[in-house]
Structures are given as structure tokens and as C-alpha cells.
Amino acid sequence: MDRMRELVDILNRWGYEYYVLDAPTVSDREYDKLYDELKELERETGVILPDSPTRRVGGDPIKGFERHTHIARLYSLDKAVSEDELSAFFTRVKKAGDATFTVEYKYDGLTVCLTYEGGRFVRATTRGNGVEGEDVTAQALTVQSFPLAISYKGVLEVRGEAVIRLSVLGQYNAEHPDDPLKNARNAAAGAIRNLDPKVTKTRRPEIFFYDVNYMSEGGVLSQVEAMEFLKREGFQTFPYLRVCSSPEEVFAAVDEIEVGRRELDVLTDGAVIKVNEERVRSDMGATDKFPRWAIAYKFEAEEAETTVERVFWQVGRTGKLTPLAEVSPVELAGATVRRATLNNYGDLTKKDVKVHSRVLIRRSNEVIPEILGAVSHVEGSVPVEKPKTCPYCGSAVEEVGANLFCTNANCPPRTVQRLTHYCSKNAADVEGMSEATLSVLYERCGVRKFSDLYRLTEESFTENGKFWDGFGKKKISNLLEAVEKSKRVPLERFLYAIGIEGIGRVAARDLAAFGSVEAVAALTFEELVALENVGEITARSILAYFADAENREELSRLREAGVMPYARERVTEGKFAGESVVLTGSLASMSRTEAQKRVEALGGVCQSAVSAKTTLVVAGEKAGSKLEKAKKLGIRVIGEEEFLAML
Ligand SMILES: [Zn+2]
């Protein structure tokens, strides 16, 4: 047993030197010799230590990815694409307090989260929707750039980006000429999200760590401390970290990255700028989607010239006609581009795009690149005709501003888009129900309404007793299971899913506070506009939606089918009942998240910013601008002691 411990320790040190420090101190042969000795010992004794390097082989293929809820939410980052937007970020930070900034590379791969308990690695998950991700432990175990055992003994979640080095990608493609990997980002995501860990291993992904997302005990006070902690514990970290004390220094660092990234062996598409100090971070808080204290600065996307071959029109959920161009295939930012969008009819005429013209296209973060404008026309250039009728259903087209709309509410692609929206991740989340599948269901078994999804059976996918092409038994049962699962949907996601015009996820959350669809349907115009995120136009569209007989019928069909949106329970009694509370500064006795939970458990509502609606401000240590604003507005302010007494 002692020998086993010794072997594990030596091999882990060598592995760390090789994979993380990139500075091996022994030959592969020496490593293999001890590795074999360890394997033999493990075979003889039947004991495998939790941090044994033999666990890194990844194991057998798995059937599917288990879902896992992150301890702390993994936010995505707000983006800036211009210096103006970056300057606006600095202004916001300045209001919150004195801060320094860190600048890092923004790697372009797949975000993963690693969990440790009692000093042991226990789980790896993808970011997923930030709240819930997929368990990719078996896949991550094949990656060598993180430790299986650490000295920190509490519960820990760290965050990193899984990437595939460009040189590794090149090598892989040279070895697999028939089945090359398209680009490094997709390759990294495909490797980690592969059901067979052996495949993950052959793609040789690595993970670079850049954040401590959760610590049950203790904590880090800044980004610099977080990075030091990660390095000390043996994680591979980003090699570049600049600490800047002014916006000017940040701009200089960003420029440095923009030049330097061309030389890197890893795909990067920008720089990440974070407020360094935790106290300023917690004061700034987060929006619905992003932390307010960090921003990703995206470098200008790459551009290329190509020829328009054909322009066709797509019809969206609202009936809007979007011109899409098929272009001669062109390589752009590591991918082959065949299609580019033109936003709307007005855009197409303004940019003077004609069929057979040479155009400039840009690929940024969007899935479909955009046409920036015509470069030159040729003799055979043909203007794109403005459609008088919908190319799908032949109905009249209406022009509103720069946009054209199909006037038929039941236009086939519109219906398919509505269904796609309903099934999407942030809506009813019917996993696997893609636009392509929904188009087939539309065509072949008359799926038109959301409620139609709930009458699907295995037979629906058959013709003459045989399954449709591309639909196996397993796939169908997964789809049906996902449909079944979507019956229990959080109210806010359901309200977003049904596609009331103007209702995004934020407004849906406001509405969900009323507890049920029926309660929302009964709201008056005055009650609606009183909500933080509902304006007059949206309020009218909500009223119109619930006044419509067809919508009401569909809602009752969904109810009959067993779709039961549930509201997150809201406590309305307690010490904080009726209070709109803003927490600011840091509390010595608990984290802000904890404090928020306790306030809500006692009937209070927490807000992120002080407004006229705020009734109480809890000010901890180093409370900043929020406290000043509260004083100005004459809002009641209490300190930590009084707060604890209320709890
Ligand atoms: Zn149409």
C-alpha cells in the first residue's frame, strides 16, 4: 500500500510537470515503467487510490449525459465589440468603487466546471444553461491538465475552458484525412461531449482554468488570488494575466492580446476584462444573464470576399421575411461559409446586393455570417426581386419599415419556428426536438400547435408500419420522453415558450411572480405596466394574447394534455414581507447569495439596484454607491447587526 501511494504521488508529479508545466523531468519510458508497476499493483490488490493516474483512461462509453445542477450559477459574459462599449463598462465600474482590472485571453472552446469535495475531484460538468449542465466526468478524466487530489478540503467548483490546440488539430486531421475536424472550437466541444471517453482521449483536449466559482470555506478576494490558488493546487491556467489600474492600461493589454493571439497555438476570439477585487464585484452584482463586473471584448471578426449565387427568403416566428444568400464557399475564421444573411429587405437594398455580385462577408459570433455590402457588380448581376407574396404559402406580403412580413399566421415555416421556440432550451426545453425534426412532424403528421406535441406516440413516427428514415426507436423514445418531461415546466419558462409578442425571458419572470397562467391572464393594463420590465406595448400585447379565443383554447388544450407550469414557491409572510430589499457591501456573517435567500425565505423581495421602489437597504462593509443613493432617496438603511437581529 505504501508503495502504491508512493507510485501515485511520483506519477502525479511527473504528469503535472509534463502536462501543466510543459517541463518534463523524466523520459516517457521511465514514466511508463512506474505506471505499469502501479497498474500491476492495482490489479493484484483490487485497490485503486482516488487520485491514481490510471483513472485517467476515461472508462467505457456512456449511454447519455446526466444533468447536474451547479452549486453556484455559471454566468456567461456580456460582450463588447467596440471601444465605446468597453468605455461604458469602465464608467459603470467607476460608479461602484475603486477597482483594478485583470485582462485575460478569451479562449474559444467549451466551458467546463470541475467539482472537488474533501480534496478529491468528484465531477466535471459542462456549463449548459449556467444553472444546469451535463455530467462529463468520464470524458474530462482523460484530460491531464488538472489534479485529482488537491490540498483544499472544502467543496470547490472551478471553471475552465476545454480547447484543442491548433497543432493537435492539424496533427489529428493529417492522421484522419477522410474525417477531418472542421475547427478547433467545435472539435473541443465535440470531444468533451462525446459519449465515448476513448474518442475524447484521441482528440487530446486540454482545459485551461480561469475562475474559482464556488468555495464552501474561505474564499478568494480577487481574480489574482483566484489564479494563484488555481496554480498552487496544480491546475493548468491561462498563461497571460495582466493586472491594470486604469482603462488606458486595459486598452493597451487588449491590443497586446490582439497582436499576440496570432502566434498562439489555441483559438482565441477576444480578451476578458474583469474587475479584480471581489468587494467591488459583489457590489456590482449580476443581471439576469451576466455578472456586471466582467466583460468580453471581442476582436473584430474576420472578413472575406465571395460571390452571391442565389438569394432566398426565410420566414421567422413573427412572419418576418429574412433574405439569405447562398455564396460561393469561402474559408473564414476556420470554417467554410456557404450562406450569409442580409437581415431584412431594407438591408438588402441599402447594401446593393445583387445575384452574381462580389460581396464582403463577416463572420462574428453569429452562426450565420453577415453580408457587409457589395464590392463590385458584374455584367450578369441581377437585382433581387422584392417578393410580392410569401414564397412558402403565397399569402400577401406586408411591408413595415425595412421589413417584409407574411400576413398568414399559419404560414408553415412560421408555425415550425413557433414550435421550435416552444421547444428551445430556455422555453419548454424539449431536448432533441430540433427545427429539422419539427419540420418533419409538421409535414408528416400535422403538428401545428404546441398541444399537438403531447399527442405524439411511437406510431406517429411510422409509415406503413415502418419508422421514418432517420428516426430509430431510440431516438423516438428519447423525443417522447423529452416531450413528457416538458409537462413540468417552470411558469416563467412556459410564459416565454408560448411566444406572447414582446415577452422575453426577463419579462416572463416578472409575470411568473403572479403564480399561475390564470393569474397572469387576469392582470389589468395598469397592473402590467407597473411591472419593472413590461412597457405599454408589451402590456397591450399580453392583453391581446389572453383575449384571443384561439389562444385560450390552446392553453386549455395544453392543460388537458397535462402541461402544468409550476411557480417557484414564493413566501409572502415573515419579517421581510412587503419589503423590497437591496443588499450592498459585504457581510461578515454570510455571503450575499445566502443573505438573499434568507430575505426571500422571510417574505422579502431582493432587488439588484436601488430605486424608488426600494424600501430597505442592508449595508455591509464597504458599501458604495448604492448606499449613497439610498440615503439620497431617504430609504431606510440597516447595518449587519440589525439585519441579523431581523433574521
Ligand atoms: Zn407565408
Side-chain angles (χ1 to χ4, degrees):
M1 212 53 188
D2 286 352
R3 177 61 180 161
M4 204 168 189
R5 182 72 256 165
E6 190 183 15
L7 286 171
V8 168
D9 288 343
I10 295 173
L11 287 166
N12 280 343
R13 197 179 68 239
W14 287 352
Y16 172 72
E17 287 166 355
Y18 184 92
Y19 291 105
V20 178
L21 301 182
D22 198 15
T25 54
V26 294
S27 69
D28 289 1
R29 254 188 64 203
E30 280 169 277
Y31 183 93
D32 290 345
K33 202 168 144 241
L34 295 200
Y35 186 88
D36 290 342
E37 186 188 339
L38 175 65
K39 264 204 109 166
E40 184 57 25
L41 262 174
E42 288 178 343
R43 201 187 54 78
E44 272 171 26
T45 58
V47 176
I48 298 173
L49 292 177
D51 55 337
S52 167
T54 64
R55 291 184 67 205
R56 300 261 195 200
V57 294
D60 296 326
I62 56 173
K63 294 212 173 58
F65 295 106
E66 302 258 326
R67 296 279 194 117
H68 188 85
T69 306
H70 303 299
I71 300 176
R73 177 163 173 183
L74 295 173
Y75 282 101
S76 57
L77 287 185
D78 198 3
K79 289 177 188 71
V81 290
S82 66
E83 298 203 351
D84 277 357
E85 287 170 297
L86 203 50
S87 297
F89 168 71
F90 293 128
T91 308
R92 292 198 294 276
V93 175
K94 201 162 173 223
K95 282 185 191 166
D98 281 335
T100 58
F101 301 92
T102 57
V103 183
E104 304 161 29
Y105 281 113
K106 183 176 179 305
Y107 282 178
D108 204 3
L110 180 78
T111 303
V112 288
C113 171
L114 264 53
T115 310
Y116 288 78
E117 281 169 25
R120 303 274 179 235
F121 165 70
V122 290
R123 191 183 309 108
T125 43
T126 61
R127 195 183 85 83
N129 59 12
V131 175
E132 205 181 56
E134 290 170 336
D135 190 320
V136 289
T137 306
Q139 290 72 13
L141 268 172
T142 67
V143 180
Q144 307 270 358
S145 51
F146 65 88
L148 294 179
I150 56 173
S151 65
Y152 179 79
K153 295 291 182 265
V155 179
L156 172 75
E157 277 193 354
V158 296
R159 175 172 173 161
E161 193 81 356
V163 299
I164 290 184
R165 284 182 192 269
L166 298 172
S167 58
V168 170
L169 186 77
Q171 214 177 331
Y172 181 94
N173 285 347
E175 288 160 13
H176 302 80
D178 298 334
D179 192 17
L181 298 169
K182 260 271 151 79
N183 67 56
R185 183 206 308 144
N186 295 352
I192 297 292
R193 294 192 71 258
N194 200 298
L195 291 173
D196 186 354
K198 300 253 172 2
V199 174
T200 311
K201 201 175 165 76
T202 61
R203 310 261 170 100
R204 290 161 55 202
E206 286 174 53
I207 307 176
F208 286 94
F209 292 86
Y210 57 87
D211 249 333
V212 173
N213 209 47
Y214 176 83
M215 274 177 135
S216 62
E217 289 144 46
V220 287
L221 294 176
S222 67
Q223 181 64 16
V224 170
E225 274 192 38
M227 296 306 278
E228 279 164 2
F229 171 83
L230 289 168
K231 272 190 220 165
R232 204 163 56 232
E233 291 287 11
F235 292 92
Q236 171 167 259
T237 56
F238 281 19
Y240 182 102
L241 180 77
R242 276 270 182 291
V243 182
C244 302
S245 53
S246 68
E248 291 69 35
E249 284 180 39
V250 172
F251 279 115
V254 168
D255 284 345
E256 192 174 63
I257 288 183
E258 181 151 25
V259 176
R261 72 181 173 130
R262 310 252 168 232
E263 312 287 313
L264 281 187
D265 197 18
V266 178
L267 201 63
T268 47
D269 60 350
V272 175
I273 298 119
K274 294 174 185 162
V275 166
N276 190 22
E277 292 81 8
E278 185 55 41
R279 64 180 163 78
V280 183
R281 286 184 181 188
S282 67
D283 218 39
M284 292 184 79
T287 68
D288 183 39
K289 285 184 191 153
F290 316 117
R292 292 181 207 271
W293 46 263
I295 199 156
Y297 182 74
K298 307 283 276 184
F299 295 131
E300 204 149 295
E302 291 177 50
E303 297 172 1
E305 234 185 86
T306 183
T307 304
V308 174
E309 291 177 350
R310 187 173 86 93
V311 170
F312 63 101
W313 299 83
Q314 270 195 330
V315 177
R317 184 155 67 96
T318 57
K320 187 185 145 186
L321 269 66
T322 303
L324 266 182
E326 266 176 25
V327 298
S328 308
V330 58
E331 285 298 316
L332 197 53
T336 310
V337 170
R338 293 168 203 281
R339 280 182 174 191
T341 178
L342 276 152
N343 301 313
N344 54 47
Y345 180 74
D347 193 42
L348 181 143
T349 35
K350 197 176 72 201
K351 288 175 177 168
D352 191 26
V353 172
K354 297 176 182 164
V355 179
H356 306 312
S357 299
R358 292 290 286 172
V359 290
L360 191 63
I361 61 175
R362 168 195 286 176
R363 199 178 114 103
S364 46
N365 307 310
E366 291 75 29
V367 186
I368 304 176
E370 184 189 13
I371 293 189
L372 295 177
V375 178
S376 61
H377 300 301
V378 293
E379 208 167 306
S381 288
V382 190
V384 179
E385 260 182 69
K386 177 172 164 184
K388 291 186 185 67
T389 56
C390 171
Y392 294 89
C393 69
S395 303
V397 163
E398 193 188 358
E399 192 165 353
V400 183
N403 292 307
L404 301 175
F405 289 90
C406 166
T407 48
N408 172 9
N410 298 314
C411 179
R414 249 181 109 163
T415 306
V416 171
Q417 289 299 329
R418 268 202 302 269
L419 290 162
T420 308
H421 172 78
Y422 180 84
C423 293
S424 65
K425 197 152 142 183
N426 295 312
D429 192 17
V430 184
E431 209 184 332
M433 199 61 93
S434 64
E435 182 182 339
T437 299
L438 287 163
S439 310
V440 177
L441 287 170
Y442 178 96
E443 297 269 330
R444 305 185 70 163
C445 57
V447 170
R448 298 287 183 274
K449 300 183 163 59
F450 310 140
S451 53
D452 292 337
L453 294 168
Y454 297 94
R455 57 168 179 74
L456 292 173
T457 62
E458 200 179 87
E459 276 80 75
S460 317
F461 295 82
T462 58
E463 199 170 289
N464 301 327
K466 272 177 36 197
F467 290 133
W468 298 338
D469 277 352
F471 288 85
K473 207 174 171 62
K474 182 73 197 157
K475 178 173 175 176
I476 295 165
S477 97
N478 284 344
L479 284 173
L480 293 175
E481 206 174 293
V483 168
E484 185 62 31
K485 219 174 113 189
S486 72
K487 288 181 180 174
R488 287 289 291 160
V489 55
L491 180 59
E492 61 206 61
R493 293 214 323 242
F494 180 78
L495 290 168
Y496 173 64
I498 54 177
I500 305 171
E501 219 177 307
I503 294 293
R505 288 161 62 193
V506 177
R509 221 176 48 184
D510 277 4
L511 294 176
F514 292 92
S516 69
V517 177
E518 293 70 28
V520 173
L523 293 173
T524 64
F525 182 78
E526 286 70 29
E527 286 168 323
L528 286 167
V529 291
L531 297 173
E532 195 181 350
N533 300 296
V534 175
E536 290 189 8
I537 295 173
T538 310
R540 271 189 210 104
S541 111
I542 295 167
L543 292 175
Y545 178 90
F546 288 107
D548 184 282
E550 233 173 87
N551 290 335
R552 283 209 307 270
E553 263 170 53
E554 170 65 359
L555 287 171
S556 75
R557 271 191 300 265
L558 283 167
R559 219 169 17 241
E560 276 158 35
V563 179
M564 284 187 295
Y566 63 92
R568 298 191 198 284
E569 241 174 80
R570 179 121 159 233
V571 182
T572 50
E573 282 174 17
K575 203 82 195 195
F576 289 92
E579 301 274 20
S580 293
V581 185
V582 171
L583 300 155
T584 179
S586 53
L587 300 172
S589 52
M590 68 187 85
S591 71
R592 187 176 295 193
T593 322
E594 174 65 24
Q596 188 170 339
K597 271 191 202 152
R598 310 262 305 252
V599 167
E600 283 167 0
L602 291 170
V605 175
C606 287
Q607 301 174 321
S608 58
V610 175
S611 71
K613 291 179 192 165
T614 310
T615 58
L616 180 69
V617 169
V618 179
E621 277 287 298
K622 293 186 179 138
S625 58
K626 289 182 189 172
L627 178 58
E628 281 161 37
K629 190 165 178 199
K631 283 180 181 158
K632 226 176 267 169
L633 292 171
I635 294 162
R636 184 177 159 217
V637 177
I638 60 171
E640 181 161 7
E641 223 164 282
E642 202 175 333
F643 178 58
L644 288 173
M646 281 181 85
L647 293 176

PDB file of all heavy atoms in Angstrom, residues 315 319 321 389-397 405-414, ligand 1:
ATOM      1  N   VAL A 315     -38.798  32.538 -43.512  1.00  0.00           N
ATOM      2  CA  VAL A 315     -39.874  33.145 -42.743  1.00  0.00           C
ATOM      3  C   VAL A 315     -39.698  32.770 -41.276  1.00  0.00           C
ATOM      4  O   VAL A 315     -39.548  31.597 -40.946  1.00  0.00           O
ATOM      5  CB  VAL A 315     -41.254  32.670 -43.244  1.00  0.00           C
ATOM      6  CG1 VAL A 315     -42.365  33.260 -42.375  1.00  0.00           C
ATOM      7  CG2 VAL A 315     -41.445  33.083 -44.688  1.00  0.00           C
ATOM      8  N   GLY A 319     -43.292  35.966 -38.755  1.00  0.00           N
ATOM      9  CA  GLY A 319     -43.697  36.140 -40.140  1.00  0.00           C
ATOM     10  C   GLY A 319     -42.711  36.972 -40.937  1.00  0.00           C
ATOM     11  O   GLY A 319     -42.871  37.184 -42.133  1.00  0.00           O
ATOM     12  N   LEU A 321     -39.781  38.138 -43.180  1.00  0.00           N
ATOM     13  CA  LEU A 321     -39.017  37.516 -44.258  1.00  0.00           C
ATOM     14  C   LEU A 321     -37.565  37.988 -44.191  1.00  0.00           C
ATOM     15  O   LEU A 321     -37.294  39.178 -44.288  1.00  0.00           O
ATOM     16  CB  LEU A 321     -39.610  37.894 -45.629  1.00  0.00           C
ATOM     17  CG  LEU A 321     -40.673  36.950 -46.204  1.00  0.00           C
ATOM     18  CD1 LEU A 321     -41.920  36.967 -45.337  1.00  0.00           C
ATOM     19  CD2 LEU A 321     -41.014  37.337 -47.631  1.00  0.00           C
ATOM     20  N   THR A 389     -45.525  38.081 -52.782  1.00  0.00           N
ATOM     21  CA  THR A 389     -46.259  37.115 -51.967  1.00  0.00           C
ATOM     22  C   THR A 389     -45.250  36.267 -51.212  1.00  0.00           C
ATOM     23  O   THR A 389     -44.077  36.221 -51.572  1.00  0.00           O
ATOM     24  CB  THR A 389     -47.116  36.177 -52.851  1.00  0.00           C
ATOM     25  OG1 THR A 389     -46.239  35.564 -53.793  1.00  0.00           O
ATOM     26  CG2 THR A 389     -48.207  36.935 -53.571  1.00  0.00           C
ATOM     27  N   CYS A 390     -45.725  35.599 -50.169  1.00  0.00           N
ATOM     28  CA  CYS A 390     -44.837  34.755 -49.362  1.00  0.00           C
ATOM     29  C   CYS A 390     -44.363  33.566 -50.200  1.00  0.00           C
ATOM     30  O   CYS A 390     -45.176  32.872 -50.808  1.00  0.00           O
ATOM     31  CB  CYS A 390     -45.582  34.270 -48.131  1.00  0.00           C
ATOM     32  SG  CYS A 390     -44.686  33.013 -47.208  1.00  0.00           S
ATOM     33  N   PRO A 391     -43.053  33.333 -50.262  1.00  0.00           N
ATOM     34  CA  PRO A 391     -42.540  32.228 -51.071  1.00  0.00           C
ATOM     35  C   PRO A 391     -42.958  30.845 -50.561  1.00  0.00           C
ATOM     36  O   PRO A 391     -42.816  29.859 -51.274  1.00  0.00           O
ATOM     37  CB  PRO A 391     -41.019  32.400 -50.995  1.00  0.00           C
ATOM     38  CG  PRO A 391     -40.755  33.262 -49.826  1.00  0.00           C
ATOM     39  CD  PRO A 391     -41.971  34.105 -49.625  1.00  0.00           C
ATOM     40  N   TYR A 392     -43.507  30.784 -49.361  1.00  0.00           N
ATOM     41  CA  TYR A 392     -43.896  29.475 -48.816  1.00  0.00           C
ATOM     42  C   TYR A 392     -45.385  29.200 -48.937  1.00  0.00           C
ATOM     43  O   TYR A 392     -45.798  28.111 -49.257  1.00  0.00           O
ATOM     44  CB  TYR A 392     -43.483  29.363 -47.344  1.00  0.00           C
ATOM     45  CG  TYR A 392     -41.993  29.375 -47.180  1.00  0.00           C
ATOM     46  CD1 TYR A 392     -41.302  30.576 -47.021  1.00  0.00           C
ATOM     47  CD2 TYR A 392     -41.259  28.195 -47.240  1.00  0.00           C
ATOM     48  CE1 TYR A 392     -39.921  30.592 -46.895  1.00  0.00           C
ATOM     49  CE2 TYR A 392     -39.881  28.203 -47.127  1.00  0.00           C
ATOM     50  CZ  TYR A 392     -39.219  29.406 -46.953  1.00  0.00           C
ATOM     51  OH  TYR A 392     -37.862  29.416 -46.845  1.00  0.00           O
ATOM     52  N   CYS A 393     -46.191  30.233 -48.657  1.00  0.00           N
ATOM     53  CA  CYS A 393     -47.628  29.964 -48.635  1.00  0.00           C
ATOM     54  C   CYS A 393     -48.386  30.811 -49.644  1.00  0.00           C
ATOM     55  O   CYS A 393     -49.590  30.645 -49.803  1.00  0.00           O
ATOM     56  CB  CYS A 393     -48.181  30.189 -47.223  1.00  0.00           C
ATOM     57  SG  CYS A 393     -48.168  31.919 -46.740  1.00  0.00           S
ATOM     58  N   GLY A 394     -47.698  31.730 -50.328  1.00  0.00           N
ATOM     59  CA  GLY A 394     -48.358  32.519 -51.353  1.00  0.00           C
ATOM     60  C   GLY A 394     -49.246  33.632 -50.830  1.00  0.00           C
ATOM     61  O   GLY A 394     -49.895  34.329 -51.604  1.00  0.00           O
ATOM     62  N   SER A 395     -49.278  33.833 -49.525  1.00  0.00           N
ATOM     63  CA  SER A 395     -50.105  34.914 -48.977  1.00  0.00           C
ATOM     64  C   SER A 395     -49.469  36.267 -49.277  1.00  0.00           C
ATOM     65  O   SER A 395     -48.289  36.350 -49.593  1.00  0.00           O
ATOM     66  CB  SER A 395     -50.230  34.767 -47.463  1.00  0.00           C
ATOM     67  OG  SER A 395     -50.765  33.520 -47.135  1.00  0.00           O
ATOM     68  N   ALA A 396     -50.272  37.301 -49.114  1.00  0.00           N
ATOM     69  CA  ALA A 396     -49.780  38.650 -49.375  1.00  0.00           C
ATOM     70  C   ALA A 396     -48.671  39.001 -48.392  1.00  0.00           C
ATOM     71  O   ALA A 396     -48.640  38.513 -47.267  1.00  0.00           O
ATOM     72  CB  ALA A 396     -50.925  39.640 -49.236  1.00  0.00           C
ATOM     73  N   VAL A 397     -47.754  39.857 -48.862  1.00  0.00           N
ATOM     74  CA  VAL A 397     -46.654  40.292 -48.013  1.00  0.00           C
ATOM     75  C   VAL A 397     -46.890  41.741 -47.618  1.00  0.00           C
ATOM     76  O   VAL A 397     -47.302  42.559 -48.436  1.00  0.00           O
ATOM     77  CB  VAL A 397     -45.317  40.142 -48.767  1.00  0.00           C
ATOM     78  CG1 VAL A 397     -44.223  40.944 -48.108  1.00  0.00           C
ATOM     79  CG2 VAL A 397     -44.934  38.675 -48.855  1.00  0.00           C
ATOM     80  N   PHE A 405     -43.321  41.161 -44.106  1.00  0.00           N
ATOM     81  CA  PHE A 405     -43.931  40.115 -43.289  1.00  0.00           C
ATOM     82  C   PHE A 405     -44.932  39.310 -44.097  1.00  0.00           C
ATOM     83  O   PHE A 405     -45.683  39.867 -44.894  1.00  0.00           O
ATOM     84  CB  PHE A 405     -44.688  40.732 -42.103  1.00  0.00           C
ATOM     85  CG  PHE A 405     -43.793  41.311 -41.059  1.00  0.00           C
ATOM     86  CD1 PHE A 405     -43.396  42.647 -41.135  1.00  0.00           C
ATOM     87  CD2 PHE A 405     -43.333  40.534 -40.008  1.00  0.00           C
ATOM     88  CE1 PHE A 405     -42.561  43.189 -40.173  1.00  0.00           C
ATOM     89  CE2 PHE A 405     -42.497  41.074 -39.043  1.00  0.00           C
ATOM     90  CZ  PHE A 405     -42.111  42.395 -39.124  1.00  0.00           C
ATOM     91  N   CYS A 406     -44.947  38.001 -43.878  1.00  0.00           N
ATOM     92  CA  CYS A 406     -46.007  37.168 -44.433  1.00  0.00           C
ATOM     93  C   CYS A 406     -47.225  37.417 -43.552  1.00  0.00           C
ATOM     94  O   CYS A 406     -47.134  37.404 -42.329  1.00  0.00           O
ATOM     95  CB  CYS A 406     -45.608  35.692 -44.383  1.00  0.00           C
ATOM     96  SG  CYS A 406     -47.005  34.595 -44.683  1.00  0.00           S
ATOM     97  N   THR A 407     -48.376  37.662 -44.178  1.00  0.00           N
ATOM     98  CA  THR A 407     -49.569  38.028 -43.400  1.00  0.00           C
ATOM     99  C   THR A 407     -50.356  36.816 -42.905  1.00  0.00           C
ATOM    100  O   THR A 407     -51.340  36.967 -42.200  1.00  0.00           O
ATOM    101  CB  THR A 407     -50.495  38.916 -44.254  1.00  0.00           C
ATOM    102  OG1 THR A 407     -50.640  38.295 -45.540  1.00  0.00           O
ATOM    103  CG2 THR A 407     -49.918  40.306 -44.421  1.00  0.00           C
ATOM    104  N   ASN A 408     -49.901  35.632 -43.299  1.00  0.00           N
ATOM    105  CA  ASN A 408     -50.623  34.425 -42.913  1.00  0.00           C
ATOM    106  C   ASN A 408     -50.076  33.871 -41.590  1.00  0.00           C
ATOM    107  O   ASN A 408     -48.953  33.384 -41.532  1.00  0.00           O
ATOM    108  CB  ASN A 408     -50.463  33.391 -44.042  1.00  0.00           C
ATOM    109  CG  ASN A 408     -51.010  32.036 -43.680  1.00  0.00           C
ATOM    110  OD1 ASN A 408     -51.670  31.874 -42.651  1.00  0.00           O
ATOM    111  ND2 ASN A 408     -50.724  31.059 -44.532  1.00  0.00           N
ATOM    112  N   ALA A 409     -50.907  33.940 -40.545  1.00  0.00           N
ATOM    113  CA  ALA A 409     -50.450  33.486 -39.223  1.00  0.00           C
ATOM    114  C   ALA A 409     -50.127  31.999 -39.225  1.00  0.00           C
ATOM    115  O   ALA A 409     -49.381  31.518 -38.380  1.00  0.00           O
ATOM    116  CB  ALA A 409     -51.516  33.787 -38.179  1.00  0.00           C
ATOM    117  N   ASN A 410     -50.702  31.269 -40.188  1.00  0.00           N
ATOM    118  CA  ASN A 410     -50.464  29.825 -40.219  1.00  0.00           C
ATOM    119  C   ASN A 410     -49.476  29.401 -41.301  1.00  0.00           C
ATOM    120  O   ASN A 410     -49.446  28.251 -41.718  1.00  0.00           O
ATOM    121  CB  ASN A 410     -51.785  29.079 -40.406  1.00  0.00           C
ATOM    122  CG  ASN A 410     -52.717  29.353 -39.253  1.00  0.00           C
ATOM    123  OD1 ASN A 410     -52.310  29.301 -38.093  1.00  0.00           O
ATOM    124  ND2 ASN A 410     -53.961  29.699 -39.563  1.00  0.00           N
ATOM    125  N   CYS A 411     -48.685  30.340 -41.770  1.00  0.00           N
ATOM    126  CA  CYS A 411     -47.657  30.040 -42.770  1.00  0.00           C
ATOM    127  C   CYS A 411     -46.747  28.927 -42.226  1.00  0.00           C
ATOM    128  O   CYS A 411     -46.294  29.013 -41.078  1.00  0.00           O
ATOM    129  CB  CYS A 411     -46.866  31.317 -43.035  1.00  0.00           C
ATOM    130  SG  CYS A 411     -45.543  31.103 -44.214  1.00  0.00           S
ATOM    131  N   PRO A 412     -46.520  27.874 -43.028  1.00  0.00           N
ATOM    132  CA  PRO A 412     -45.790  26.707 -42.491  1.00  0.00           C
ATOM    133  C   PRO A 412     -44.472  27.018 -41.766  1.00  0.00           C
ATOM    134  O   PRO A 412     -44.324  26.610 -40.605  1.00  0.00           O
ATOM    135  CB  PRO A 412     -45.561  25.833 -43.727  1.00  0.00           C
ATOM    136  CG  PRO A 412     -46.673  26.197 -44.650  1.00  0.00           C
ATOM    137  CD  PRO A 412     -46.970  27.646 -44.403  1.00  0.00           C
ATOM    138  N   PRO A 413     -43.515  27.724 -42.357  1.00  0.00           N
ATOM    139  CA  PRO A 413     -42.273  27.936 -41.610  1.00  0.00           C
ATOM    140  C   PRO A 413     -42.472  28.757 -40.333  1.00  0.00           C
ATOM    141  O   PRO A 413     -41.763  28.570 -39.355  1.00  0.00           O
ATOM    142  CB  PRO A 413     -41.367  28.679 -42.595  1.00  0.00           C
ATOM    143  CG  PRO A 413     -42.207  29.100 -43.715  1.00  0.00           C
ATOM    144  CD  PRO A 413     -43.445  28.265 -43.720  1.00  0.00           C
ATOM    145  N   ARG A 414     -43.474  29.632 -40.346  1.00  0.00           N
ATOM    146  CA  ARG A 414     -43.785  30.404 -39.148  1.00  0.00           C
ATOM    147  C   ARG A 414     -44.201  29.486 -38.026  1.00  0.00           C
ATOM    148  O   ARG A 414     -43.783  29.621 -36.887  1.00  0.00           O
ATOM    149  CB  ARG A 414     -44.981  31.324 -39.447  1.00  0.00           C
ATOM    150  CG  ARG A 414     -44.621  32.766 -39.495  1.00  0.00           C
ATOM    151  CD  ARG A 414     -45.851  33.570 -39.768  1.00  0.00           C
ATOM    152  NE  ARG A 414     -46.220  34.306 -38.564  1.00  0.00           N
ATOM    153  CZ  ARG A 414     -47.041  35.341 -38.562  1.00  0.00           C
ATOM    154  NH1 ARG A 414     -47.597  35.732 -39.691  1.00  0.00           N
ATOM    155  NH2 ARG A 414     -47.312  35.978 -37.461  1.00  0.00           N
TER     156      ARG A 414
HETATM  157 ZN    ZN B   1     -46.200  32.608 -45.665  1.00  0.00          ZN
END
